[in-house]
């Protein structure tokens, strides 16, 4: 399979092209923003180059022990006059327990060895450390014979391990072995976990806003709809994951959206069906008068006739915008027309009143041509006929004989 | 670029034993800094790349008096140091991992290890295959491929960084491509159609 001739066969050209393309793409994607200054060795420019690393560290350590012992002895024997030395000496060991590494200790002690034997009062101008990373700051201080105490300070994600402040300030003149307090950025752990993000609160947002918010948070949106009276596509709730949760970047967040398939039922009692439909349409209902399910009920109260006296759903209920609401419309009571034939007019009236009739009587007197006074005042005809449904306010026609309906006799 | 950096380096590093100050050294390295970062990122990954760069700078600083402009450009001299440090780092991590994770675990996974920085474009599947195949190459072949294709260096610079003749670089690239074809062959549809 493998050929060692570099002949330009198709496969070679193809692979060559792929490698070139891959390399070009990689050069675009690969971040190369490291600062050269952060990687310069600490002793660049400070001292002539050290040719070899093979320094007998055991001997150096022994010398250090001797020098420290001597210094302590001198301090104890003479007096406590030099407050700076006695003040820093004890604080050095606890302060540097965490950050100091063996290399730093050796650098410090090397400068002690160089300077300490001749003059302990050498002053050094403190460099500006702000912006360096922790390692670079440590190297820089160590190269000057200074000690570092690193204090983590909460900071933004771009400032992890970067020096944010220093004490004493840059330019201050300090003695060798002074402990310099250096604040370094420390991003809270939940943020530095590279692909964990906090779920934002989306409730109340529109679908568009929620999608954009999630995209900004590097999350993906999953939608589900629920019947609701809220505006369409408004986020009603979050399902599964909730605001404030820490989730892996790219996770799906399910939001429950309103499909606006419901409306809040208004009060439509005391309205006519036509007015009620208008009211319902304003609230979001999509039906019309023909979709309204009406039943009528006879009620004595004249004000309720023709208006809605009860409604289903009740006021405030969430109801589907397409379903038919049911209403009961008030109606005028009726009664069945009795037979009034042969009754006297007052008796007929009494009977009708007893049935609830409240209407007007149209009486017609018929001339009693037979002059039979026993027939006077007897109902001979009426309308509506027997058995008809009569509303209580309908007028009723009656006719009866009346002798005196004749023109008066000429005397 | 090569010409200017060479003349600059002659000025700064002409006489042996001259004490060179920090600004000169930094300025001398700076034109090559991008290539150095890329090489370190490509050979090892993430935090290891930072260590390799730190060690490389230290080594360059200490051995700067041995640099000879007549033998090659500053770029190839510095890249050779980075490559050597990367090789040592890989050998060390290889020993640490007891041949377990092996060399294939390096730059493809640098996304998570690199302080949360994400590449602007996610790796495509084909790129992942190719990267993985490059990872399996022997050290010299891999170095040649990285310098030539990924750092886009001319053959003469690759030869300088690898401390060998240009013809050797070409032969190494041919061998590397042959090995890559073996590794990718079955998955490359173009290989059968053309």
């Amino acid at each position: 399979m493998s050929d060692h001739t570099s002949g330009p066969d198709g496969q070679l050209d193809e692979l060559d092209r792929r490698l070139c393309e891959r390399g070009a793409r990689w050069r675009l994607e690969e971040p190369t923003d490291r600062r050269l200054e952060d990687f310069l060795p600490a002793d660049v420019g400070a001292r002539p180059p050290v040719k070899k690393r093979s320094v007998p560290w055991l001997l150096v350590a022994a010398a250090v022990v001797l020098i420290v012992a001597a210094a302590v002895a001198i301090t104890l024997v003479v007096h406590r006059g030099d407050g700076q030395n006695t003040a820093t000496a004890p604080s050095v060991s606890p302060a540097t327990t965490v950050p100091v590494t063996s290399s730093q200790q050796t650098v410090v002690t090397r400068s002690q060895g160089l300077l300490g034997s001749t003059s302990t009062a050498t002053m050094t101008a403190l460099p500006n450390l702000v912006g360096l990373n922790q390692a670079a700051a440590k190297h820089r201080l160590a190269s000057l014979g200074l000690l570092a105490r690193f204090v983590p300070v909460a900071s933004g994600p771009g400032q992890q391990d970067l020096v944010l402040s220093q004490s004493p300030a840059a330019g201050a003149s300090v003695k060798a072995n002074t402990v310099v307090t250096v604040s370094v950025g420390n991003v809270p752990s939940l943020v530095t976990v590279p692909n964990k993000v906090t779920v934002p609160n989306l409730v109340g947002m529109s679908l568009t806003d929620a999608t954009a918010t999630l995209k900004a948070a590097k999350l993906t949106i999953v939608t589900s709809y629920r019947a609701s009276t809220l505006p369409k596509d408004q986020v009603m709730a979050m399902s599964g994951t909730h605001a404030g949760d820490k989730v892996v970047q790219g996770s799906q967040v399910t939001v429950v959206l309103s499909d606006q398939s419901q409306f809040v039922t208004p009060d439509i009692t005391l309205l006519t069906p036509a007015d009620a439909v208008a009211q319902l349409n304003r609230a979001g209902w999509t039906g019309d008068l023909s979709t309204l399910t009406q039943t009528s009920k006879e009620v004595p109260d004249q004000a309720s006739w023709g208006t809605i006296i009860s409604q289903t759903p009740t006021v405030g209920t969430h109801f589907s915008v397409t379903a038919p609401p049911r209403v009961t419309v008030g109606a005028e009571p009726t009664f069945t027309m009795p037979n009034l034939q042969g009754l006297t007019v007052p008796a007929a009236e009494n009977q009708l009143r007893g049935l609830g009739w409240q209407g007007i009587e149209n009486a017609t007197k018929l001339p009693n041509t037979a002059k039979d006074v026993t027939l006077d005042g007897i109902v001979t005809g009426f309308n509506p006929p027997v058995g008809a449904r009569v509303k209580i306010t309908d007028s009723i026609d009656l006719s009866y004989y009346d002798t005196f309906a004749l023109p008066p006799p000429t005397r | 670029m090569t010409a200017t950096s060479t003349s600059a380096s002659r000025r700064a590093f002409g006489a042996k034993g001259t004490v060179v100050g920090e600004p000169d050294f930094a300025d001398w390295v700076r034109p090559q800094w991008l290539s150095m970062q890329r090489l370190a990122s490509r050979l090892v990954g993430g935090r290891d790349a930072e260590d390799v760069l730190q060690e490389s700078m230290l080594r360059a600083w200490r051995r700067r008096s041995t640099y000879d402009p007549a033998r090659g450009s500053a770029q190839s001299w510095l890249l050779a140091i980075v490559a050597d440090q990367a090789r040592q780092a890989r050998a060390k991590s290889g020993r640490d991992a007891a041949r377990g994770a092996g060399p294939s675990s390096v730059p493809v996974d640098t996304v998570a290890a690199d302080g949360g920085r994400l590449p602007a474009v996610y790796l495509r599947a084909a790129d992942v295959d190719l990267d993985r195949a490059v990872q399996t190459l022997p050290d010299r072949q891999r170095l040649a491929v990285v310098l030539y294709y990924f750092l886009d260096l001319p053959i003469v610079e690759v030869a300088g960084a690898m401390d060998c003749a240009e013809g050797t670089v070409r032969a190494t690239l041919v061998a590397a491509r042959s090995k890559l074809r073996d590794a990718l062959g079955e998955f490359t549809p173009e290989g059968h159609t053309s």
Side-chain angles (χ1 to χ4, degrees):
Chain A
M1 173 74 193
S2 66
D3 63 346
H4 289 274
T5 64
S6 56
D9 63 295
Q11 282 189 341
L12 183 128
D13 284 349
E14 175 59 29
L15 181 60
D16 194 54
R17 187 185 62 76
R18 273 187 71 184
L19 282 164
C20 284
E21 284 181 6
R22 173 69 190 122
R25 204 158 45 239
W26 176 81
R27 285 194 294 280
L28 286 176
E29 294 164 5
E30 178 67 15
T32 49
D33 49 2
R34 300 180 185 91
R35 291 178 65 233
L36 173 60
E37 284 70 20
D38 294 341
F39 290 83
L40 285 174
D43 49 356
V44 171
R47 273 186 297 278
V50 180
K51 282 284 155 70
K52 291 219 163 191
R53 264 195 92 116
S54 58
V55 181
W57 294 115
L58 271 178
L59 286 181
V60 172
V64 168
V65 169
L66 281 177
I67 290 166
V68 170
V72 169
I74 289 166
T75 316
L76 287 177
V77 168
V78 181
H79 59 85
R80 316 168 138 260
D82 193 342
Q84 185 69 23
N85 257 344
T86 50
T88 53
S91 71
V92 165
S93 48
T96 53
T97 44
V98 179
V100 159
T101 64
S102 61
S103 71
Q104 185 185 353
Q105 269 171 340
T106 54
V107 175
V108 170
T109 51
R110 207 191 311 159
S111 69
Q112 252 184 356
L114 289 172
L115 305 170
S117 55
T118 52
S119 157
T120 50
T122 306
M123 303 299 277
T124 310
L126 204 56
N128 182 22
L129 306 170
V130 175
L132 299 181
N133 67 20
Q134 182 169 341
K138 191 174 72 179
H139 278 285
R140 186 63 57 90
L141 288 175
S143 71
L144 296 170
L146 301 172
L147 298 169
R149 189 169 73 89
F150 291 102
V151 182
V153 173
S155 71
Q159 299 176 312
Q160 179 71 39
D161 286 340
L162 292 186
V163 174
L164 303 176
S165 68
Q166 64 185 83
S167 172
S173 201
V174 292
K175 291 184 179 178
N177 286 341
T178 299
V179 178
V180 179
T181 303
V182 181
S183 303
V184 291
N186 180 41
V187 182
S189 60
L190 282 173
V191 179
T192 53
V193 171
N195 43 11
K196 283 264 185 176
V197 292
T198 306
V199 178
N201 187 12
L202 307 168
V203 175
M205 288 187 186
S206 68
L207 174 59
T208 317
D209 290 352
T211 307
T213 306
L214 284 180
K215 193 178 175 191
K218 296 195 167 61
L219 295 167
T220 53
I221 192 166
V222 177
T223 56
S224 67
Y225 281 90
R226 187 186 294 169
S228 158
T229 62
L230 293 171
K232 188 162 174 59
D233 289 339
Q234 180 173 329
V235 177
M236 301 167 62
M238 301 167 70
S239 168
T241 48
H242 300 282
D245 287 357
K246 303 278 189 287
V247 297
V248 175
Q249 213 166 62
S251 296
Q252 296 184 331
V253 174
T254 305
V255 293
V256 181
L257 300 167
S258 166
D259 63 1
Q260 208 183 0
S261 66
Q262 294 183 331
F263 69 101
V264 180
T265 311
D267 188 356
I268 51 172
T269 54
L270 307 182
L271 300 179
T272 64
D275 288 347
V277 165
Q279 190 77 21
L280 289 168
N281 286 345
R282 269 198 296 278
W285 185 59
T286 58
D288 56 23
L289 196 55
S290 66
T291 2
L292 197 65
T293 307
Q294 300 186 42
T295 51
S296 61
K297 183 185 177 191
E298 295 178 0
V299 289
D301 177 15
Q302 189 166 357
S304 299
W305 298 344
T307 66
I308 292 166
I309 55 176
S310 73
Q311 64 180 87
T312 306
T314 52
V315 177
T317 305
H318 293 183
F319 198 69
S320 167
V321 294
T322 53
R326 290 196 305 276
V327 293
T328 305
V329 181
E332 185 178 346
T334 57
F335 61 92
T336 307
M337 191 67 183
N339 189 1
L340 303 175
Q341 194 79 47
L343 297 176
T344 62
V345 171
E349 277 182 14
N350 275 344
Q351 187 169 0
L352 290 172
R353 297 295 176 205
L355 290 168
W357 180 63
Q358 299 166 9
I360 297 166
E361 168 194 317
N362 298 321
T364 308
K365 293 177 184 174
L366 299 175
N368 190 349
T369 48
K371 302 276 195 309
D372 183 352
V373 293
T374 58
L375 292 178
D376 277 351
I378 303 295
V379 174
T380 59
F382 54 92
N383 189 50
V386 174
R389 295 299 298 179
V390 182
K391 294 180 182 172
I392 59 172
T393 57
D394 283 357
S395 24
I396 292 177
D397 299 333
L398 288 179
S399 55
Y400 59 94
Y401 287 116
D402 187 349
T403 307
F404 301 102
L406 286 171
T410 47
R411 303 278 169 110
Chain B
M1 180 193 112
T2 315
T4 54
S5 67
T6 307
S7 65
S9 61
R10 277 214 187 88
R11 234 184 305 120
F13 293 85
K16 261 198 171 187
T18 309
V19 177
V20 181
E22 175 180 358
D24 287 341
F25 180 73
D27 289 345
W28 181 69
V29 173
R30 199 178 307 282
Q32 325 308 338
W33 183 237
L34 180 62
S35 295
M36 291 171 72
Q37 287 184 68
R38 282 178 171 161
L39 185 59
S41 293
R42 196 63 215 178
L43 291 179
V44 297
R47 285 284 150 94
D48 287 347
E50 315 245 316
D51 292 344
V52 164
L53 286 169
Q54 199 100 46
E55 288 298 317
S56 300
M57 290 297 287
L58 188 62
R59 193 169 172 81
W61 169 250
R62 286 182 175 158
R63 295 177 55 86
R64 67 191 188 280
S65 59
T66 69
Y67 169 68
D68 181 3
R71 290 185 54 205
S73 70
Q75 182 178 43
S76 55
W77 190 77
L78 286 166
L79 290 180
I81 291 177
V82 173
D84 188 51
Q85 293 297 331
R87 187 182 53 76
Q88 291 181 21
R90 272 164 62 85
K92 184 160 162 291
S93 70
R95 281 197 303 276
D96 291 349
R99 320 305 305 166
S104 66
S105 68
V106 199
V108 176
D109 312 328
T110 57
V111 175
D114 202 6
R117 285 190 297 191
L118 290 166
V121 184
Y122 288 104
L123 293 176
R124 303 189 319 177
D127 289 348
V128 173
D129 287 343
L130 191 57
D131 284 358
R132 201 164 286 157
V134 170
Q135 290 298 317
T136 62
L137 291 174
D139 272 354
R140 293 288 288 179
Q141 291 181 12
R142 199 165 73 101
L143 180 57
V145 166
V146 168
L147 288 171
Y148 184 71
Y149 288 107
F150 286 84
L151 270 70
D152 201 23
L153 294 187
I155 292 280
V156 59
E157 288 289 290
V158 177
M162 294 181 68
D163 198 20
C164 64
E166 292 181 39
T168 315
V169 173
R170 283 185 227 281
T172 310
L173 284 174
V174 168
R177 281 193 297 254
S178 167
K179 257 197 149 49
L180 287 176
R181 265 202 309 281
D182 285 348
L184 295 167
E186 305 88 79
F187 310 106
T188 313
E190 295 94 331
H192 298 289
T193 53
S194 62

